[in-house]
């Protein structure tokens, strides 16, 4: 299983990056391969900065062996032991505030004791909300889930809303998507699902970029985007398990933190004008909706 | 004790804010008082944004009663119980990259079981290093410590270097200062020390502002400041106990996160040119020095 999963994730990274270069039109991914000391594995980092569409786009692949931290062992209810982890993780931050940021992650874990599972998800973070974009994103994910199990989309959508939530702000990171973790039963069936999820990513996101790439925007919209990107930073550094797991276990910092936005702003107690498009976004973030 | 401590912290906030307005020359603090639901206490937040000197300056006072989180109870080696906490906390982010960011915090904790202690510290985060500024800051703190106990400065300076350290970057947040916590013995003696520490803050920082306020800078220096401010965000959201304690216990988010810089930037794998002033700063952050 391990070898097949690694092969799939590495191949998916190549396919996604090729397509993103097409979409961006003016930039190519910078490619950096890295390895950890002592044969503990490594990865491949792909980055675009200041592209035609993507102000910052990071697509990571990694396959590493590490020691479970005490905290993680407690959370997984297992003895401390070594663990193998492989995954693909991407965050795309477009220059235009009219195009949402997107995140996708698929990962596979294998403990020394033989226990193994998949986790992952994809979620969309708009700065200005176009309802039809959120509908499209969720519809693609729902159809993909339904090929495997009709219970999964509602379950994974709810899990996503709960996971990508900033308690201290009482708001969601974005309009959600799907999230799943610790899926230990029937790994073969789950591997099939994970492959379909990976393959569906471009279909869920690319049409939104095409639709919004010529939408006009100015200083005001860019400023709002920076404030919302501050929230993205807050989520990733305070709550995100993958980020904290990576930093704690001595992962490659620049690859882990590639998810952080190019620029973020913190303005004291900023509140958008009532009735504005900015306020409309906040309303939706405070009350997660059904989109599919 | 509790009442006297509250009175001292609240008065110190007023005195520091008055002096900072003098230094800033063009801005006055916006004042917001707040209170938690259910008589759990409250605080006073003072903010300057886009001032003459301070791009963002936040000075908080608070006095709240809260329930210890499980994690904190474990760390303090006590049973979960209610706790009273009061403190003053400030972070000043100057517009000019030639003037360092500074942080100061003094706090007093009292558990329901009667146990009580002080904690706090002050540290300096330059973007461009002027050795004499770091010397001055540390000398003032050392002399202040020496009035109480000649062992404290070396001890608290070391603690500060260890505390304000970003493990995932293998670098210090800045050039340090002092840090102390859980000082439970002889609270009266410690209260006298805490008052001297509070009173010494302006003497430690204000002359540095005056010395650097006319230092020239441009786009390049501002860009470097934004990248370094990204590190400040990383420290506060990943490691800082006060920030995480505040967010966990349902403190007022906008007051807690006022410590975050006005703008921050994340550029993939950014490394300053060898031999540059930017590289000189990094060298010192990677190998903490004696400054007093």
């Amino acid at each position: 299983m391990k070898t097949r999963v690694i092969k799939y994730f590495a191949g998916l990274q190549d396919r996604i990056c090729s397509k993103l270069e097409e979409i961006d039109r003016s930039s190519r991914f910078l490619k950096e391969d890295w390895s950890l000391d002592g044969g503990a594995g490594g990865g491949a980092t792909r980055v675009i900065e200041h592209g035609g569409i993507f102000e910052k786009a990071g697509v990571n692949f990694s396959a590493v062996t590490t020691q479970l931290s005490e905290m993680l062992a407690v959370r997984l209810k297992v003895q401390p032991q070594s663990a193998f982890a492989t995954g693909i993780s991407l965050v795309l931050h477009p220059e235009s505030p009219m195009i949402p940021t997107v995140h996708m992650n698929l990962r596979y874990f294998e403990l020394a004791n033989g226990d193994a599972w998949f986790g992952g998800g994809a979620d969309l973070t708009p700065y200005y909300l176009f309802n039809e974009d959120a509908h499209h994103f969720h519809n693609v994910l729902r159809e993909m889930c339904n090929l495997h199990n009709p219970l999964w989309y509602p379950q994974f959508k709810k899990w996503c809303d709960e996971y990508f939530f900033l308690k201290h702000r009482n708001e969601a990171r974005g309009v959600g998507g799907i999230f799943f973790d610790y899926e230990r039963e029937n790994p073969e069936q789950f591997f099939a699902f994970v492959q379909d999820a990976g393959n569906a990513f471009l279909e869920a996101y690319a049409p939104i970029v095409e639709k919004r790439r010529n939408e006009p925007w100015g200083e005001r919209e860019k400023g709002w985007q920076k404030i919302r990107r501050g929230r993205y930073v807050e989520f990733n550094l305070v709550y995100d398990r993958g980020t904290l797991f990576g930093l704690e276990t001595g992962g490659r910092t620049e690859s882990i933190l590639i998810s952080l936005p190019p620029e973020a702003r913190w303005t004291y107690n900023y509140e958008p004008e009532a009735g504005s498009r900015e306020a409309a976004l906040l309303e939706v973030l405070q009350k997660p909706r059904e989109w599919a």
Side-chain angles (χ1 to χ4, degrees), chain A:
Chain A
M1 169 79 84
K2 192 162 139 177
T3 314
R4 285 185 295 141
V5 176
I6 291 177
K7 210 167 157 183
Y8 171 72
F9 287 160
L12 181 62
Q13 183 189 38
D14 285 341
R15 280 183 287 131
I16 287 178
C17 288
S18 297
K19 178 67 184 177
L20 292 177
E21 285 176 351
E22 263 178 50
I23 292 172
D24 192 80
R25 292 184 195 166
S26 77
S27 284
R28 310 289 274 173
F29 277 94
L30 170 76
K31 301 183 178 194
E32 292 203 336
D33 294 341
W34 51 273
S35 53
L36 297 176
D37 290 343
T45 293
R46 306 278 179 269
V47 200
I48 284 178
E49 288 181 296
H50 307 294
I53 288 290
F54 301 111
E55 189 174 353
K56 190 171 170 192
V59 185
N60 278 318
F61 162 77
S62 67
V64 301
T65 300
T66 181
Q67 196 61 25
L68 288 186
S69 71
E70 227 176 292
M71 231 174 68
L72 194 60
V74 167
R75 210 170 63 218
L76 296 173
K77 293 171 188 157
V78 298
Q79 292 300 311
Q81 57 192 285
S82 75
F84 168 80
T86 184
I88 175 169
S89 185
L90 66 84
V91 176
L92 312 179
H93 292 288
E95 174 75 35
S96 162
M98 298 299 144
I99 308 176
T101 282
V102 72
H103 157 255
M104 195 269 283
N105 168 242
L106 297 169
R107 56 189 178 273
Y108 174 72
F109 253 75
E110 215 176 87
L111 298 187
N113 73 8
D115 208 0
W117 68 93
F118 286 96
D123 74 298
L124 196 70
T125 306
Y127 305 97
Y128 288 88
L129 183 59
F130 297 88
N131 284 334
E132 59 185 288
D133 296 350
H135 284 301
H136 168 79
F137 190 77
H138 277 270
N139 282 334
V140 171
L141 295 176
R142 190 188 57 166
E143 279 170 36
M144 183 277 296
C145 287
N146 283 350
L147 296 176
H148 297 266
N149 187 329
L151 297 175
W152 284 356
Y153 171 77
Q155 189 182 328
F156 296 166
K157 191 270 183 198
K158 187 162 171 270
W159 202 344
C160 187
D161 286 340
E162 287 162 4
Y163 181 80
F164 292 104
F165 189 79
L166 289 84
K167 283 188 270 300
H168 66 281
R169 298 285 187 184
N170 196 31
E171 63 184 37
R173 175 161 94 169
V175 295
I178 58 170
F179 182 88
F180 55 95
D181 207 356
Y182 309 127
E183 295 297 345
R184 303 185 195 207
E185 279 164 44
N186 202 339
E188 278 300 338
Q189 191 198 358
F190 237 85
F191 184 32
F193 170 71
V194 159
Q195 291 173 74
D196 279 350
N199 300 342
F201 170 74
L202 288 167
E203 191 191 333
Y205 184 64
I208 298 173
V209 178
E210 294 306 335
K211 207 155 192 172
R212 303 299 160 208
R213 64 188 305 155
N214 297 318
E215 203 79 40
W217 54 273
E219 277 293 307
R220 168 186 171 148
E221 290 76 19
K222 196 68 188 169
W224 173 243
Q225 185 198 50
K226 283 187 188 174
I227 287 175
R228 297 306 310 167
R229 285 182 170 174
R231 301 293 207 275
Y232 211 87
V233 173
E234 290 175 24
F235 182 85
N236 283 15
L237 297 183
V238 175
Y239 300 110
D240 187 59
R241 286 181 209 158
T243 303
L244 299 174
F245 170 79
L247 296 180
E248 265 170 28
T249 54
R252 185 174 180 262
T253 296
E254 283 295 333
S255 296
I256 297 164
L257 296 185
I258 210 170
S259 62
L260 297 181
E263 299 227 351
R265 177 180 292 173
W266 283 270
T267 300
Y268 175 70
N269 221 6
Y270 183 81
E271 281 182 33
E273 222 177 299
S276 64
R277 295 179 75 186
E278 292 83 3
L281 175 72
L282 286 189
E283 262 173 54
V284 169
L285 299 183
Q286 283 155 7
K287 276 187 208 156
R289 281 197 209 161
E290 292 308 318
W291 292 106

